[in-house]
Amino acid sequence: MSEEARTTRSIPDRLDGRLKSAVLSWPSLLLAVAVGVFILNSFASPYFLSAWSLSDATFNFTEKALIALAMALLIISGEIDLSVAAIIALASTMMGLALQFGVDTPGLVLIGIGTGLLCGMFNGALVTGLGLPSIVVTIGTMSFFRGISFIVLGDQAFKGYPADFAFFGQGYVWWVISFEFTFFLFCAVLFYFLLHRTTFGRQIFVIGNNPTTARFSGVRVERVKFILFCLTGLMSGLAAVALTSRLASTRPSIAMGWELEVVTIVVLGGVSILGGAGSIQGVVIAAFIMGMVTFGLGLLNVPGIVMSIFIGALLIAVIALPILFRMIRERRA
Amino acid sequence: MKKLIAARETWLGLAIIAMIVATDFRSSGFGSPGNLASIFNNSAMLIILALGQMMVILTRSIDLSMASNLALSGMIVALTNAAFPWIPVPVLMVMATGCGLILGAFNGVLVWRLGIPAIVVTLGTLTIFRGLIFVIAGGQWVNADAMSEDFVQYTRIEFLGLPMLSWYAIVIVAALYVLMTRTSTGRAIYASGVNPTASVYAGIDVGMTKFIAFCLSGALSGFCGYLWVSRYVIGSVGVAQGYELTVVAACVIGGISIAGGVGTVAGAVLGALFLGVINSALPVINISPFWQMAISGAAIILAVILNGRSEGGRAKVILKQAEVTS
């Protein structure tokens, strides 16, 4: 998208030291922002610094963050999935439908995850099998998946989930540590190893940087991308289980607009929207920042819609400022 | 003639006609001139927005902030009208367009000067603009009784049997057709999408062209802001929420390639009309409106698959592909 920007890249005559590059890396920068937001929040509201408040704050973003982990991999590989929120709606609807037939909790969870996986496979098949651009395919499936929810539910809602189903979204593992949050941390570690410590992870970066080279190097580009779409669908299914359990109801408008928030987390986390660069650490910290900003503003009685201004501005500022600084530095040099 | 048969616009047009005829069988009167005019009137804003989006997509960008831009500009003129009812409506129209232009220029500058991918920029401004509505209106709605008579009537007055809303769309379609096919700006928009590198060698400022495209899509969104508020007689935070993707869908159905450089004014208009006809036909043939979303989703997927078919041959040439990605 920005070929012009790349043509004027200067080549450094030596690499930065390891410490310097670690300090100046995107995740460190984000961490500084996160700490800043944390401190600001604790000054701004006396209620922020309590174990239960902080625990509540995690509920704000864990479901989105779960999807963001998989979305990061997908975006690094040069694709995108805008249907994730619609997958949540469809998976949640299928769970509610199964509930009407008396399916018990393990069955519900399986159906939720399975629906997510199937949706992911559908996206993956269209994108990799037919070679279509993922952004338009998933805009289509976004309407399609949520549309099915609307057909099934209309203006109704599914309620009456079993009591033990509530654990996934409302249960606590230990003291204030919720199951959902623990599960997110577990997934984050898993995705960290998958992306940064395995051959598969390296292949994702190669594909994102240059799919043609990747293909000539023997990477099965289509298969890797297909797996990533399935993974994104799967994580959306998991998020659907958590969210449905937390809300204890299903409406077709569930998780409306989340796709853009998930992409915001991923991009804020330093993943290049053009593909080929990014890290799980960054995405995890970005999720925390998003969660804390919204929760902190919520404590200050700032309406949700005004918060979105901060999130949008954060997204643009975090990306624009480094570019601006670099431009100013280059002008001086 | 051969060209006409090969053009996807022809097929899309035939599909629309087939849909109208089929619906007319189920419920006669659907294909009557009066009803067709009202379908066109209902699709007028989508047509205008799809044309704006088309220009942006042609330059290999995307504008996801259009619906928020529309809602913000609409809210600004609605509040102005409520506070100063004596300001003539044409001034308000210019004002709405100007607001949209400024918002679009903001997107454009970030894409042009900082080289930030358009999808990121407009994802950010999508939420910022929407939030600003709440801030400037203080969470209030602007209702029908707060609007002046003229403000509401300027989209409704009939001229030669068509409401003004339709005429605005017709004028804009004609103007943009001339812009895209008869001016150097139009050629530059196509060229910078087909091959940015070659465009630079040909003396086209690709960044600037993107900026212009964003300004135009912003201005059209702003103008639609007035139209929307006037037509639905409501100014609120929720105006046109999620509509940005419907606009993209209209473009995709109209055969505008998301990869840039491919697409026509006729395609965008037909894409918007296609969605408009579906929306009008469903209630007539007794399909619950809840089906609408899934059907338009299926239509988008189908359109993308058909688009991919016609472009598939080209994508297999490896050297060409390498040239584009380098």
Side-chain angles (χ1 to χ4, degrees):
Chain A
M1 272 180 199
S2 64
E3 283 84 350
E4 315 85 86
R6 286 188 193 174
T7 49
T8 56
R9 182 192 284 163
S10 62
I11 298 165
D13 44 7
R14 68 185 171 85
L15 293 170
D16 285 338
R18 184 173 273 199
L19 185 71
K20 195 179 170 196
S21 57
V23 169
L24 288 178
S25 75
W26 192 259
S28 329
L29 210 81
L30 278 178
L31 200 62
V33 174
V35 171
V37 172
F38 191 85
I39 294 172
L40 270 181
N41 270 338
S42 9
F43 276 113
S45 165
Y47 307 106
F48 182 75
L49 265 187
S50 99
W52 283 104
S53 292
L54 291 175
S55 165
D56 279 350
T58 62
F59 283 107
N60 266 322
F61 65 89
T62 31
E63 291 117 6
K64 290 169 206 159
L66 276 175
I67 306 174
L69 292 173
M71 182 77 90
L73 269 53
L74 196 59
I75 293 183
I76 291 173
S77 83
E79 303 289 343
I80 196 166
D81 186 350
L82 293 178
S83 71
V84 285
I87 295 178
I88 292 186
L90 186 57
S92 185
T93 306
M94 288 303 148
M95 283 189 279
L97 207 58
L99 184 71
Q100 312 305 309
F101 292 101
V103 175
D104 59 349
T105 300
L108 290 179
V109 173
L110 273 181
I111 286 170
I113 299 173
T115 310
L117 185 62
L118 280 177
C119 292
M121 285 168 73
F122 186 65
N123 283 332
L126 284 175
V127 172
T128 61
L130 299 173
L132 305 173
S134 56
I135 181 161
V136 277
V137 165
T138 55
I139 284 177
T141 53
M142 180 176 92
S143 299
F144 187 62
F145 295 152
R146 198 182 285 279
I148 298 174
S149 291
F150 269 105
I151 292 173
V152 173
L153 274 166
D155 51 0
Q156 303 296 306
F158 285 131
K159 280 184 191 137
Y161 286 96
D164 54 349
F165 182 69
F167 178 74
F168 302 104
Q170 303 173 20
Y172 290 88
V173 176
W174 176 73
W175 191 40
V176 296
I177 312 291
S178 67
F179 168 78
E180 222 181 287
F181 188 60
T182 318
F183 183 69
F184 164 64
L185 290 183
F186 171 73
C187 289
V189 172
L190 223 60
F191 272 89
Y192 173 80
F193 276 100
L194 181 64
L195 182 63
H196 298 294
R197 291 282 179 272
T198 65
T199 321
F200 184 77
R202 295 308 299 168
Q203 289 180 342
I204 297 174
F205 280 107
V206 176
I207 292 171
N209 274 308
N210 194 333
T212 316
T213 312
R215 189 168 286 114
F216 283 123
S217 315
V219 176
R220 294 165 82 170
V221 177
E222 264 66 44
R223 200 177 70 164
V224 172
K225 284 186 176 174
F226 181 74
I227 293 173
L228 291 180
F229 273 105
C230 293
L231 206 56
T232 310
L234 185 77
M235 293 309 283
S236 308
L238 286 167
V241 172
L243 183 64
T244 310
S245 156
R246 185 156 69 88
L247 302 176
S249 75
T250 299
R251 282 180 195 286
S253 60
I254 190 172
M256 196 81 119
W258 276 24
E259 58 279 337
L260 298 186
E261 285 183 56
V262 170
V263 174
T264 304
I265 292 179
V266 172
V267 172
L268 192 62
V271 174
S272 161
I273 198 86
L274 304 170
S279 71
I280 291 295
Q281 303 93 296
V283 173
V284 171
I285 301 170
F288 274 96
I289 293 179
M290 288 272 285
M292 279 197 300
V293 168
T294 47
F295 188 71
L297 291 174
L299 283 179
L300 295 176
N301 269 333
V302 175
I305 182 91
V306 179
M307 280 179 211
S308 62
I309 301 182
F310 283 88
I311 291 169
L314 198 66
L315 174 68
I316 292 181
V318 163
I319 292 170
L321 288 180
I323 299 176
L324 269 178
F325 284 137
R326 202 184 59 212
M327 280 167 71
I328 293 169
R329 212 168 45 208
E330 276 170 10
R331 197 158 290 174
R332 275 211 200 121
Chain B
M1 188 65 198
K2 223 173 195 173
K3 223 170 145 189
L4 201 66
I5 291 173
R8 53 171 298 111
E9 285 82 8
T10 316
W11 291 103
L12 188 55
L14 289 175
I16 293 173
I17 292 170
M19 240 164 27
I20 294 171
V21 171
T23 317
D24 193 60
F25 270 117
R26 278 289 293 272
S27 126
S28 66
F30 187 80
S32 70
N35 193 51
L36 292 182
S38 96
I39 291 176
F40 182 80
N41 199 46
N42 288 334
S43 319
M45 279 181 270
L46 186 56
I47 290 174
I48 298 173
L49 292 169
L51 287 170
Q53 184 70 266
M54 177 195 75
M55 289 186 282
V56 176
I57 292 181
L58 282 176
T59 66
R60 295 197 178 179
S61 303
I62 192 162
D63 187 353
L64 295 176
S65 72
M66 287 190 92
S68 300
N69 181 337
L70 178 158
L72 179 54
S73 306
M75 181 52 109
I76 289 172
V77 289
L79 286 171
T80 312
N81 179 250
F84 312 103
W86 46 266
I87 296 179
V89 177
V91 175
L92 291 177
M93 287 185 187
V94 173
M95 188 178 157
T97 313
C99 284
L101 180 71
I102 293 167
L103 298 176
F106 179 70
N107 286 330
V109 162
L110 288 172
V111 172
W112 176 26
R113 281 299 176 196
L114 297 184
I116 309 175
I119 184 169
V120 178
V121 170
T122 55
L123 203 57
T125 51
L126 162 104
T127 55
I128 296 175
F129 296 164
R130 184 69 65 182
L132 283 177
I133 304 169
F134 185 90
V135 174
I136 62 163
Q140 301 289 308
W141 292 21
V142 181
N143 287 322
D145 41 324
M147 296 175 196
S148 71
E149 179 69 16
D150 274 0
F151 189 83
V152 178
Q153 284 304 322
Y154 261 64
T155 46
R156 289 179 171 74
I157 302 166
E158 293 205 356
F159 174 70
L160 296 180
L162 274 180
M164 282 312 286
L165 179 58
S166 300
W167 285 109
Y168 299 140
I170 291 170
V171 169
I172 288 172
V173 170
L176 289 183
Y177 179 77
V178 172
L179 177 79
M180 295 309 290
T181 56
R182 297 284 180 272
T183 68
S184 54
T185 311
R187 297 315 296 167
I189 288 176
Y190 277 110
S192 55
V194 172
N195 192 335
T197 319
S199 304
V200 172
Y201 286 122
I204 294 168
D205 189 336
V206 175
M208 170 95 146
T209 309
K210 285 185 180 177
F211 174 75
I212 292 171
F214 272 104
C215 288
L216 287 170
S217 85
L220 291 174
S221 308
F223 182 62
C224 281
Y226 162 73
L227 298 180
W228 192 291
V229 173
S230 165
R231 175 158 168 84
Y232 298 111
V233 213
I234 178 87
S236 80
V237 172
V239 159
Q241 192 133 34
Y243 207 62
E244 56 276 341
L245 296 178
T246 310
V247 175
V248 176
C251 287
V252 171
I253 292 174
I256 289 143
S257 164
I258 208 81
V262 180
T264 60
V265 171
V269 173
L270 289 172
L273 280 176
F274 185 85
L275 287 177
V277 170
I278 288 186
N279 289 350
S280 308
L282 289 184
V284 173
I285 53 176
N286 279 329
I287 290 179
S288 137
F290 293 118
W291 280 73
Q292 200 173 301
M293 200 174 194
I295 290 180
S296 56
I300 298 168
I301 298 171
L302 208 66
V304 182
I305 293 174
L306 291 176
N307 281 1
R309 278 281 144 96
S310 55
E311 289 168 21
R314 269 187 286 161
K316 290 221 170 65
V317 185
I318 291 170
L319 271 179
K320 215 170 191 175
Q321 199 180 15
E323 184 186 83
V324 170
T325 48
S326 67

